[in-house]
Amino acid sequence: MGALARRLGLLDSVVIGLGAMIGAGIFAALGPAAAAAGRWLFVALGIAAVIAYCNATSSARLAARYPVSGGTYVYGRERLGPFWGYLAGWGFVVGKTASCAAMALTVGAYAWPEHSRIVAVGAVLAITAINYAGVQKSALATRVIVAVVLLVLSLVVIIGLFGKHSAAMPLPDRVGPRGVLAAAGLLFFAFAGYARIATLGEEVREPRRTIPRAIALALGGTLAVYLLVALAASAVLGTAGLACAADPLARVVTVAGAPDMSQVVRVGAVIAAAGSLLALLLGVSRTVLAMARDRYLPHALTAVHPHFGVPHRAEVVVGLLVAVIAAVFDLRAAIGFSSFTVLGYYLVANVSAMTLTAAEERPPRWAPIVGALGCVLVGFALPIGSVLAGLAVIGAGAGWYLVRARIVR
C-alpha cells in the first residue's frame, strides 16, 4: 500500500480545519445556547472551544499512532479494549445521525419556517438519493460552501454591529453554572469537524510540528468568527430574542434594519446546512459499513451497490432513520442529543490518549485530562431529556454488544 504524499503545509492544514468547522452549526446552535447561558453566552463559547482543542489534540496524537480509518473506534479498541472501541463507534453513529437530523431541521428552519419539518424530511430523502447514486461532495464544492458561509456570516456581523439595537432584550439573570455548561455543550455542536485536522498525519509536512499548530490556529480562527457573530446577534436581539428564534441569524439582519438581506442569510444557511448534511450522511453510512463488517451491526449492511459502488443499504437505513428523527424531534432536542453522544465519543478518545507513553509521543498531560473532564461535565449539564435519551441509546448499544458476545462464542 503506497503512502500518501506530504503536500500540506501549515496554511493548507489551517484552511482544511476552518472548512471543517465553520459551517451550519453556528446558524442552529446559537439560539439554544443563549437560552441556556443568558449573558454568560460568551463564557460558554470559550469553554466549548477549550474542550474542542483538548479533544482535537488527543485525537491528533492517537491518529499519528494509528494512521487508519475509524478514528476513536480504532483508538479505543487498541488502547482500552474492544468494548470501548465499539462504544465509541456506536456513540459516533447515533450522535452523528442526530447531527444529520439537526442539519436537516436547520435547512427547514431557514428555507421555509412554517413547514420546517416537511422541508427537513424532503432534504434528507433528496440527499440520500444523491449519495445513493455515488455523487460525493468535491473539494471544490467544499471551498465554495465555506466561502459562501464566511461571506454570509460577515454580512450578519456588519449589519448586526452597525444596525439597530433597540429591540435587544436580555434574559432574566437566573443562570447558574449548570446553564453555562449546558450552553457550552450545545455550542460544542458548532465546532464539529475539528478532528478533521487530526487525521492529516500522513499528508502533512512535518506533522509533529504542523498539526498541533494548525489545530490551535484553526480553532482560534473559528472561535474569533463565532465570537463576532454572537456579539452581533446579542447586540441586535439580546439573549431573549436569540433564545426564542428558530432562525436567529436571519432575524438579526431583519431586526437590525436590513430585511432585504434576510433572504441572503437564509440561502447561505440552507447551503451550509445542506452541505453539512451531505457530508454527515456520507460519514455515518461509512461508519455503519465498517461496524457491520466487524459484525457489530447487521452484516446485511455491508452490501455495496454493483453499479454505483456505494454502501447502498447502509445509506438507505441511515437516511430513513434521519428522516424519522427530523419528523419527530425538534432542532434543540437533536442538537442536545448529538452533543451528548459525541462528547461520549471524545471522552473515550481522551482516556485513550492518557494511556500513551512518552515514547509514543503522548500529548501534553493536561490536554486529555481537561478534555475528559470537560466532556463529562458539559455532557451531563445538557438538558435532562438529551442526557436521558443519550444514556438510553448508549445503554442499548452496550446491551447489544453483550448479547452479540454471547451469540458469537
Side-chain angles (χ1 to χ4, degrees), residues 169-375:
M169 292 290 292
L171 282 171
D173 191 14
R174 296 193 297 268
V175 175
R178 180 185 174 90
V180 177
L181 292 175
L186 295 167
L187 287 167
F188 180 82
F189 177 83
F191 285 96
Y194 57 82
R196 176 70 183 92
I197 310 171
T199 64
L200 297 174
E202 197 175 339
E203 301 172 72
V204 173
R205 296 191 297 270
E206 300 182 74
R208 295 177 189 173
R209 178 171 177 267
T210 300
I211 290 179
R213 293 177 64 197
I215 289 171
L217 290 171
L219 275 168
T222 301
L223 178 61
V225 172
Y226 288 176
L227 279 171
L228 288 171
V229 173
L231 183 63
S234 298
V236 175
L237 298 179
T239 49
L242 272 176
C244 64
D247 50 354
L249 300 193
R251 288 186 55 79
V252 166
V253 295
T254 298
V255 174
D260 293 343
M261 291 293 101
S262 67
Q263 294 305 316
V264 176
V265 175
R266 291 184 185 281
V267 170
V270 169
I271 291 172
S276 296
L277 178 58
L278 175 59
L280 282 169
L281 284 171
L282 283 168
V284 173
S285 63
R286 271 58 180 179
T287 304
V288 167
L289 172 66
M291 295 184 72
R293 284 174 171 166
D294 291 341
R295 303 279 182 172
Y296 288 126
L297 293 175
H299 193 65
L301 297 176
T302 62
V304 175
H305 197 283
H307 177 66
F308 296 121
V310 298
H312 58 292
R313 290 180 184 171
E315 287 189 340
V316 169
V317 168
V318 171
L320 291 176
L321 182 58
V322 172
V324 170
I325 295 172
V328 174
F329 295 96
D330 64 22
L331 177 59
R332 299 182 184 208
I335 291 175
F337 176 82
S338 173
S339 293
F340 182 83
T341 50
V342 174
L343 283 164
Y345 172 87
Y346 283 111
L347 173 61
V348 175
N350 282 303
V351 175
S352 299
M354 290 179 196
T355 69
L356 292 171
T357 64
E360 294 172 312
E361 299 182 353
R362 66 188 175 207
R365 287 187 179 276
W366 63 268
I369 294 173
V370 172
L373 289 174
C375 286

Side-chain angles (χ1 to χ4, degrees), residues 92-146:
F92 177 86
V93 168
V94 297
K96 291 302 183 181
T97 298
S99 293
C100 291
M103 290 301 96
L105 288 164
T106 302
V107 171
Y110 279 90
W112 197 2
E114 296 81 6
H115 301 282
S116 59
R117 292 190 186 278
I118 295 174
V119 175
V121 172
V124 173
L125 297 178
I127 291 176
T128 299
I130 292 171
N131 287 345
Y132 192 98
V135 179
Q136 299 188 14
K137 189 173 68 171
S138 68
L140 176 60
T142 302
R143 294 189 186 97
V144 170
I145 290 172
V146 172

Side-chain angles (χ1 to χ4, degrees), residues 2-179:
L4 297 173
R6 295 191 181 277
R7 294 176 296 186
L8 302 176
L10 178 62
L11 180 59
D12 299 316
S13 302
V14 171
V15 169
I16 288 171
L18 289 172
M21 281 184 282
I22 297 178
I26 191 63
F27 290 92
L30 205 53
R39 67 189 181 93
W40 300 100
L41 177 64
F42 298 96
V43 174
L45 186 59
I47 293 171
V50 169
I51 295 172
Y53 175 80
C54 293
N55 294 350
T57 299
S58 294
S59 297
R61 299 303 173 91
L62 289 162
R65 181 71 180 169
Y66 302 100
V68 294
S69 298
T72 304
Y73 175 53
V74 173
Y75 313 148
R77 182 186 67 203
E78 296 298 322
R79 307 302 304 191
L80 305 175
F83 173 74
W84 297 104
Y86 159 81
L87 209 59
W90 175 258
F92 177 86
V93 168
V94 297
K96 291 302 183 181
T97 298
S99 293
C100 291
M103 290 301 96
L105 288 164
T106 302
V107 171
Y110 279 90
W112 197 2
E114 296 81 6
H115 301 282
S116 59
R117 292 190 186 278
I118 295 174
V119 175
V121 172
V124 173
L125 297 178
I127 291 176
T128 299
I130 292 171
N131 287 345
Y132 192 98
V135 179
Q136 299 188 14
K137 189 173 68 171
S138 68
L140 176 60
T142 302
R143 294 189 186 97
V144 170
I145 290 172
V146 172
V148 168
V149 173
L150 284 173
L151 285 172
V152 169
L153 293 179
S154 299
L155 181 69
V156 171
V157 169
I158 292 169
I159 294 175
L161 291 179
F162 298 100
K164 300 176 182 176
H165 298 168
S166 56
M169 292 290 292
L171 282 171
D173 191 14
R174 296 193 297 268
V175 175
R178 180 185 174 90

